[in-house]
Amino acid sequence: MPAMSRNVETVTGYLDGFRNNDHEQILSCLTDDIEWTVFGAFHLTGKDAYDKAVDGPPELVGPPRLEVVRMVEQGDVVMAELTGTVRRAAGGEMRMSMARRSGRCHQGQSSSA
């Protein structure tokens, strides 16, 4: 199995941070000018805003279970296709499917999520 690039290691560490609800680990993978957009829901800029949104809305409980469907790297951009679930406070779970783009992955940090 080939060794992971530093960019893929950064994205993998970022996802592991979410799986473990580890804010410090998540934020260590991001640049100060991080921008997070969930189309139709919100757009955040900066680590402070990002940190406040990491846990999600109060209707969701605990860290998500995330599975990487595929991860592709071209130049200094990594794209990860994910599926996952998170528990709902009212019972049951929410299923998710998403793609994460991390660009300008220099020095072990990502500028977008």
Side-chain angles (χ1 to χ4, degrees), residues 7-108:
N7 293 341
V8 171
E9 285 177 1
T10 299
V11 172
T12 300
Y14 167 85
L15 295 173
D16 286 344
F18 266 97
R19 290 179 183 112
N20 297 310
N21 198 34
D22 185 335
H23 288 238
E24 186 175 320
Q25 181 175 347
I26 294 166
L27 296 175
S28 75
C29 296
L30 305 175
T31 58
D32 291 336
D33 63 346
I34 179 70
E35 291 191 37
W36 184 12
T37 301
V38 175
F39 294 102
F42 61 84
H43 175 87
L44 302 173
T45 302
K47 279 188 175 183
D48 288 337
Y50 198 97
D51 188 33
K52 291 175 184 163
V54 163
D55 292 327
E59 336 34 269
L60 303 178
V61 179
R65 289 184 305 274
L66 299 173
E67 297 296 326
V68 175
V69 175
R70 83 188 74 175
M71 195 175 302
V72 179
E73 178 178 24
Q74 185 172 6
D76 60 359
V77 173
V78 176
M79 175 67 83
E81 180 184 351
L82 309 164
T83 60
T85 58
V86 64
R87 290 187 336 241
R88 295 181 186 271
E93 62 184 23
M94 179 177 83
R95 296 183 339 170
M96 305 172 279
S97 179
M98 67 198 95
R100 308 296 294 173
R101 183 191 67 81
S102 298
R104 297 188 320 240
C105 288
H106 296 293
Q107 300 174 355

